[in-house]
Amino acid sequence: MCGICGCGSSSKSKFSPLKPHHHSHDDAHSHSHAHETHGERLIRVEQDILAKNDSYADENRAYFQQHGIFALNFVSSPGAGKTTLLVATINALKNTRPIFVIEGDQQTDLDADRIRATGAAALQINTGKACHLDAHDIGHAVQTLQVADNSVLAIENVGNLVCPSSFDLGEAHKVVVLSVTEGDDKPLKYPDMFHAADLMIINKIDLLPYTNFDVARCIEFAKRINPDIEVLQLSATQEQSLGAWLEWLNQH
Amino acid sequence: MHEISLLESVLESLEAQAKQQGFQQVKQVVLEIGALSCVEADALRFGFSAVMKNSVAEHAELVIVKIAGQGLCPTCQQTVLLETRHDPCHHCGSFGVKVLQGQSMRIKELIVI
Ligand SMILES: Nc1nc2c(ncn2[C@@H]2O[C@H](COP(=O)(O)OP(=O)(O)OP(=O)(O)O)[C@@H](O)[C@H]2O)c(=O)[nH]1
Ligand SMILES: [Mg+2]
Ligand SMILES: [Zn+2]
């Protein structure tokens, strides 16, 4: 049994089916009864739907704090360059600051393999149908990966600008990666994600000449949604463009 | 479709309530969904019966209460009704309205037997 949360395994909890009901009846029938005849009662719950995820996230955050782990949650559309950026970052920081990586994808271990090729420790989580990582996944992954004290923990979320915005993982910051081939209007189209992020990295800057992406317009849109968002521009494929990003990491 | 995950959280909570409060069956679930929360009411309705199948809430009725989005304009200090998070203030046109209400996703109440 899991020591963190008491769950039976790393899989999501399953629910036991109801015992046969002695007077099961169809919906139409049940609605014709007055409530009292069935002994119905009202229960006020007043509970946030994400309360459970948030409580796991709080536990993760406390754990990270105690162990000096700086956790970042990378989010983007599929293919914006998250893995490429992580590989480049690990190579640039080699022997200065340990980085551990949790890779979330619906299927395959490909991204974790790319990270491991750098020599860094990575754990792949396949979310299957789910389009995001949740805080419970991360709590387990941190234990499995044995993330060292005083390291950077990079969590690459499933490529998806919608769902991961709702699920706090306990990270210090969400980092949204937006590549210039996706269009400069993304912050307005997916406002929840840009609202939740503290840093926006505009990636694939080398491809600017081939697109009509307007960097100033993109930043203006992002600040409309989130006036406090920080912005960096780089090409994950060009080491010399990573300076400001490495500096940002250094300062955090 | 994170609505499915959210419904799974709802179900988990219903199962916990069933144990705590000693009921066998949920007849109605009332969810409160803010206009600015990133969840689609139709997607919740769509997934509800599938997720609740074989549980205490099988055949339960789903009622969704929508909560309007509301914010405070940082420039003119007036209350602003928001349809989306990035709406400008409809009094003075400023962006960056601070959201006060409408982001919540809550299980409000249940009718149980
Ligand atoms: N030209 C150019 N290509 C890039 C850059 N960054 C990433 N790419 C390319 O974009 C493609 C997708 O990059 P990935 O790093 O796999 O993107 P990702 O965000 O990890 O993708 P998912 O995990 O599938 O969501 C690859 O072919 C990369 O080589 C960049 O700065 N410039
Ligand atoms: Mg990737
Ligand atoms: Zn105003």
Side-chain angles (χ1 to χ4, degrees), chain A residues 190-201:
Chain A
Y190 299 95
D192 294 315
M193 189 59 91
F194 290 84
H195 182 82
D198 295 318
L199 174 65
M200 169 168 78
I201 293 181

Side-chain angles (χ1 to χ4, degrees), chain A residues 46-100:
Chain A
E46 299 292 352
Q47 191 181 79
D48 195 297
I49 294 176
L50 288 169
K52 194 145 191 187
N53 183 73
D54 290 346
S55 72
Y56 286 131
D58 290 344
E59 282 172 32
N60 293 347
R61 189 164 281 120
Y63 182 88
F64 296 151
Q65 217 143 43
Q66 277 163 23
H67 293 264
I69 296 167
F70 181 55
L72 296 173
N73 179 2
F74 289 82
V75 292
S76 80
S77 313
K82 300 180 296 300
T83 310
T84 308
L85 177 62
L86 290 177
V87 166
T89 306
I90 293 164
N91 287 331
L93 290 186
K94 231 167 210 169
N95 309 321
T96 58
R97 206 169 165 191
I99 305 191
F100 290 77

Side-chain angles (χ1 to χ4, degrees), chain A residues 38 41 44 46-47 52, chain B residues 12-13 106-107 109 113:
Chain A
H38 270 341
R41 59 195 164 105
R44 292 198 194 285
E46 299 292 352
Q47 191 181 79
K52 194 145 191 187
Chain B
E12 232 170 289
S13 173
R106 296 173 72 77
I107 307 171
E109 58 193 34
I113 350 180

Side-chain angles (χ1 to χ4, degrees), chain A residues 13-53:
Chain A
S13 27
K14 295 274 180 293
F15 304 101
S16 46
L18 246 197
K19 299 235 168 57
H21 192 208
H22 70 280
H23 68 286
S24 66
H25 46 214
D26 63 31
D27 276 0
H29 177 69
S30 68
H31 286 158
S32 64
H33 283 283
H35 283 178
E36 309 76 56
T37 55
H38 270 341
E40 291 182 2
R41 59 195 164 105
L42 182 82
I43 296 181
R44 292 198 194 285
V45 183
E46 299 292 352
Q47 191 181 79
D48 195 297
I49 294 176
L50 288 169
K52 194 145 191 187
N53 183 73

Side-chain angles (χ1 to χ4, degrees), chain A residues 82-83 103 105 111 114 156:
Chain A
K82 300 180 296 300
T83 310
E103 283 288 342
D105 286 289
D111 279 1
R114 285 165 67 190
E156 179 179 336

Side-chain angles (χ1 to χ4, degrees), chain A residues 9-10 13 44 62 78 80 85 91-92 95 99 103 111 126 131 171 176 180 189 197-198 204-205 217-218:
Chain A
S9 70
S10 63
S13 27
R44 292 198 194 285
L85 177 62
N91 287 331
N95 309 321
I99 305 191
E103 283 288 342
D111 279 1
N126 286 136
C131 41
E171 72 275 353
V176 62
V180 302
K189 289 184 174 170
D198 295 318
K204 309 194 189 179
I205 284 291
R217 197 167 110 105
C218 178

Side-chain angles (χ1 to χ4, degrees), chain B:
Chain B
M1 266 279 285
H2 63 309
E3 278 81 1
I4 296 296
S5 310
L6 296 177
L7 287 167
E8 281 168 353
S9 302
V10 170
L11 177 54
E12 232 170 289
S13 173
L14 298 184
E15 300 275 356
Q17 291 278 340
K19 263 197 209 133
Q20 275 168 29
Q21 309 258 0
F23 57 79
Q24 267 73 53
Q25 202 189 349
V26 182
K27 304 284 287 184
Q28 189 186 74
V29 180
V30 182
L31 302 183
E32 198 180 87
I33 302 296
L36 309 178
S37 70
C38 31
V39 57
E40 207 44 71
D42 283 343
L44 285 180
R45 284 194 197 94
F46 180 79
F48 187 76
S49 54
V51 172
M52 300 303 152
K53 207 167 158 61
N54 295 324
S55 78
V56 285
E58 179 153 29
H59 306 308
E61 180 194 5
L62 173 65
V63 176
I64 294 179
V65 179
K66 293 194 181 164
I67 305 293
Q70 214 177 75
L72 183 73
C73 173
T75 310
C76 71
Q77 303 294 326
Q78 297 196 70
T79 307
V80 185
L81 265 182
L82 295 170
E83 260 167 47
T84 66
R85 202 194 280 293
H86 63 279
D87 284 349
C89 170
H90 56 75
H91 305 289
C92 73
S94 301
F95 286 106
V97 173
K98 192 175 173 303
V99 175
L100 298 178
Q101 174 198 295
Q103 304 193 85
S104 63
M105 301 185 260
R106 296 173 72 77
I107 307 171
K108 200 166 168 48
E109 58 193 34
L110 312 173
I111 294 175
V112 303
I113 350 180

